[in-house]
Structure formats: structure tokens, C-alpha cells
Amino acid sequence: MSGNTITQSATFSLSRAARELELRRGEFDLALSLGCVRSVPDEGGGGRRVARAEIDRVRAEAGFPEALRERVKAVGTTEGAALMGITNTRFTRLARLGLVVPVKFYLNRYRVVVWLYLAEELRQFATEEQNTRLLSGRMPEGLRDQLDEGVDLRPRNWRGRHMGFLLRRTEDPWARAAVVASLLDPVQVAEIVKEPCERAHLNRFRPAPVTQAAPDSPGARIAERITRADHPDEISWLRADLGQSVREARQDRPAPRPTPRVSIAAAPGSLPTALVGRPAGAPMSAAPPSPTSAPRAAREQFPAGDDPLTMTESVRSRRLLGWLRRRSPDARSSTAP
């Protein structure tokens, strides 16, 4: 049995691992992102897999599977506010101020962004004493001023968290640089990574879109706006991080460059008739040259109206016929004395 077959048998695909851990696929993906379940690269290049030993470790934890499900439970605004004992409005204000951080989002049928939060984090926030004044009474003046200015840190906080999730899943320097590049506009990336071959290499490792919407659809454009950094200081920080990440990737290994094309010289007899005698660099013609475009000496050799190429083929045919006649036994016997 080959080593690759042994490795495959000792690991599970992600869908199989989700079933083994009794999680829905969305819960399982969140468990991977949070580090509750560890995955390993597929040696065959097929993405990520989960080792059998990791499945056994998680299943042996106390309270499985309810405890694991509770750790990855994500709730929306209404359920989150109920967990914290506050109104939906106050919960939204806390989220806009960045005091509670979303873990993921989706678009509902009206293409409205629905943010989801870890239930475990919300309960912890509500039980901490320093947060008591934020859960009831008047909001502190500084925070009220930010809300009046329209601050909304939910997209930015989600991007930071999402980038951390993606970086946790890989150790490859180019893949890590691609994670940072995915949060920047392509123009910003081109300004930092000037080599086209390096940008193409980054695109190979680009993370999958966070939405299943069709490309260029309204839903995909909304998700793209959320994924892209839009604040000047955030963009500046990501640009610096991308530059450092690419330098580290270059030190690990250079990006592959395209192989130069090598022209193979061939004997003139092996080239098509239309290419024999063509000057180097001259454009290829789709049709054979006309008699009027032939050199003057060639034109004078044939009467007007005759195609030199056609006549050349005729001469070749006569020569071939004569050679066959000489080779024919009947022809030799008829000419013998």
C-alpha cells in the first residue's frame, strides 16, 4: 500500500469529519476557524483534512457533542440581545462601536447583511463587571459622539477576525501573503507587489469567496465591499503587512516565472512551402503570394496569367510520373533491345 493511501486512510475529508463530530457544516467550519478542531494539509493537494486522532480527541472531551456545539453557536441580533438581557437597539450600538465582534455574516433574501456573533462571547461580555454600565442606563458621552458620527466597526472587526482565521490554517509564506492581499483592492496590491508573476502567484493562493453568490451579482458585490478594507488607517496597516509578508515569502522561495519559449530550428525541407525563404521576422501570410507580388525575375519566367506556384506543382508531378515509369517493370521490358 502506498504512503499516500495510508495517509488518506488516517484522515477524514471535511464533510466526513463534520458527520463524525455531529456538526452541521457551518458549525464545523466555525470550529475549524476557532481552532476547536485542527486540520492538516492534504498531501494530495486536495485542500484540508482532519486526522483520525483529532476526531478521537474531540469526541473524548467532556460533554461531547453538546459542549462543542455550544462553543461554536452563532446568534443574530435578536437572540444575542436576549442572551445579554438588553434591547436590540442597544445591542446594535455595542456592535457598531466594536465592543462585540461578529464572527461571520450572510445576506438574507432582501440582500440585507445579517451579522452573527458567538453566543459564548456575548454571555462572557454580559457577566464582566466593567461592562455593566454599557448594558443599562445612558451610553457614555464619548461613545454617543461616535454613534452620532455614524461609526460602524462591524465590517472592519469582522475582516480582522476573518484574516486571523485564514492565517491560522496555513504556514505557507505565499499563502499567508495572499490572505492579506485578499483584503486590499487589486490596485493597492499592484502598488506593493510590482512583479506580475508574483501577483499571479498570490492569486493561486487567494482564499475562496465568503459567499456562494454568483460572480458580479448584487450579493457578490455586497460581500466584496465588506471584505475589502475601506478605512485609510486600515488600508495603510494592511499595505505594510503585505509588503512584509511578500518579502518573507521571497526569502522562503521565489515566485515561479514563465518559461521562455525556445524556437527550434528545422531544415528548410521540413518547413511548409509558404514559410521557405521567408525573412526572419516577416509576418506569416494566410494565402500564397500572387504572381504580381513575386520578384521580377520570377514573373518574367512565366507567361502572363500563369500562376508560378501552380506551374511548379505541375513540373513536380511530371517528374514524379517519369520516375515511376522508369521504375515500372513493364516500362523497362518495353524499352529493352
Side-chain angles (χ1 to χ4, degrees):
M1 182 180 294
S2 65
N4 187 56
T5 304
I6 295 174
T7 301
Q8 291 286 332
S9 63
T11 60
F12 292 113
S13 66
L14 298 185
S15 57
R16 171 71 183 278
R19 292 195 301 270
E20 292 289 330
L21 296 177
E22 303 180 34
L23 296 175
R24 294 191 295 269
R25 187 54 192 266
E27 295 173 332
F28 178 76
D29 290 341
L30 198 50
L32 288 177
S33 298
L34 295 171
C36 302
V37 179
R38 297 185 293 266
S39 62
V40 296
D42 184 356
E43 294 182 358
R48 309 286 296 183
R49 296 180 68 86
V50 179
R52 183 186 299 273
E54 178 67 4
I55 298 292
D56 295 339
R57 181 191 69 81
V58 176
R59 291 180 64 90
E61 291 179 345
F64 176 86
E66 288 78 12
L68 177 60
R69 289 174 182 161
E70 196 61 32
R71 290 172 64 187
V72 298
K73 182 179 181 181
V75 299
T77 297
T78 301
E79 190 173 354
L83 285 175
M84 299 176 68
I86 58 179
T87 63
N88 291 2
T89 301
R90 183 174 288 269
F91 182 91
T92 301
R93 289 176 178 176
L94 294 176
R96 288 176 55 191
L97 291 167
L99 298 175
V100 291
V101 180
V103 70
K104 61 181 181 178
F105 72 91
Y106 69 90
L107 303 179
N108 63 16
R109 59 179 178 174
Y110 304 108
R111 299 197 190 103
V112 175
V113 180
V114 179
W115 297 101
L116 299 177
Y117 308 81
L118 282 176
E120 188 176 50
E121 290 183 353
L122 299 182
R123 282 192 292 265
Q124 182 178 354
F125 183 92
T127 56
E128 293 178 354
E129 185 177 353
Q130 64 268 27
N131 298 327
T132 303
R133 62 191 183 93
L134 300 174
L135 301 178
S136 60
R138 190 173 178 81
M139 193 74 70
E141 183 176 355
L143 299 180
R144 289 202 311 271
D145 294 340
Q146 294 181 48
L147 292 172
D148 292 341
E149 294 171 1
V151 66
D152 189 353
L153 298 179
R154 288 175 294 184
R156 178 172 179 173
N157 285 340
W158 173 84
R159 285 191 292 269
R161 190 166 207 171
H162 181 62
M163 184 173 71
F165 289 163
L166 295 175
L167 291 176
R168 182 181 290 124
R169 296 188 183 188
T170 182
E171 295 296 332
D172 184 276
W174 284 104
R176 295 176 70 84
V179 169
V180 182
S182 68
L183 302 181
L184 288 168
D185 185 273
V187 176
Q188 302 276 349
V189 176
E191 291 176 357
I192 303 300
V193 187
K194 301 185 182 300
E195 289 289 339
C197 61
E198 290 185 339
R199 294 199 300 272
H201 197 50
L202 286 176
N203 286 334
R204 288 184 55 202
F205 294 98
R206 189 176 184 85
V210 296
T211 178
Q212 300 298 320
D216 295 327
S217 65
R221 288 193 290 269
I222 293 173
E224 184 178 357
R225 286 198 299 269
I226 295 175
T227 305
R228 294 265 174 87
D230 57 1
H231 198 276
D233 63 341
E234 182 187 7
I235 293 173
S236 177
W237 179 80
L238 288 173
R239 284 171 61 98
D241 194 14
L242 176 59
Q244 179 62 30
S245 298
V246 171
R247 285 191 292 271
E248 293 175 356
R250 290 187 191 121
Q251 293 174 359
D252 180 75
R253 68 182 187 280
R257 296 180 179 275
T259 304
R261 291 187 294 179
V262 180
S263 60
I264 302 176
S270 66
L271 293 176
T273 304
L275 298 183
V276 175
R278 184 172 62 89
M284 293 178 60
S285 176
S290 65
T292 57
S293 64
R296 179 179 179 181
R299 294 200 305 270
E300 292 177 352
Q301 185 178 354
F302 302 96
D306 291 334
D307 188 343
L309 293 179
T310 304
M311 296 187 67
T312 300
E313 294 298 330
S314 177
V315 171
R316 289 178 179 174
S317 299
R318 290 198 298 272
R319 289 177 180 174
L320 177 60
L321 182 59
W323 181 81
L324 290 174
R325 287 174 177 171
R326 290 196 299 274
R327 297 289 295 174
S328 171
D330 295 339
R332 289 199 301 271
S333 62
S334 63
T335 58

